[in-house]
Amino acid sequence: MRIVVDLNRCQGYAQCAFLAPEVFFLRGDEALGYRPRVSDDQRERVGRAVAACPVQAISAGPAAGADVD
Ligand code: SF4
């Protein structure tokens, strides 16, 4: 599955990094890093991160970011 985070929207709250630490991580104080492709066994955790993001910055799914390659 593909993941895209709108880093212009992301506020570095880190809920995603708490809920899916294999996928999302903080670099330094507030910069978010993430893996753009993860295996489907991360789907549930990523779904929780998507739901928890307070600014709806995370898109995830087979076609997420298909237009931004
Ligand atoms: S939960 Fe949303 S705002 Fe917070 S770090 Fe993750 S993507 Fe950014």
Side-chain angles (χ1 to χ4, degrees):
M1 90 193 275
R2 300 175 60 137
I3 296 174
V4 174
V5 178
D6 182 344
L7 294 175
N8 291 318
R9 189 179 282 200
C10 170
Q11 299 295 315
Y13 295 124
Q15 277 91 333
C16 56
F18 178 73
L19 291 165
E22 299 86 356
V23 180
F24 305 97
F25 49 90
L26 289 180
R27 293 194 271 220
D29 280 346
E30 287 191 350
L32 182 76
Y34 66 99
R35 294 169 56 201
R37 288 177 192 268
V38 298
S39 60
D40 282 352
D41 58 8
Q42 295 289 333
R43 182 181 301 276
E44 190 176 329
R45 285 174 179 232
V46 169
R48 284 195 208 126
V50 169
C53 178
V55 293
Q56 289 85 47
I58 307 170
S59 303
D67 56 342
V68 292
D69 253 348

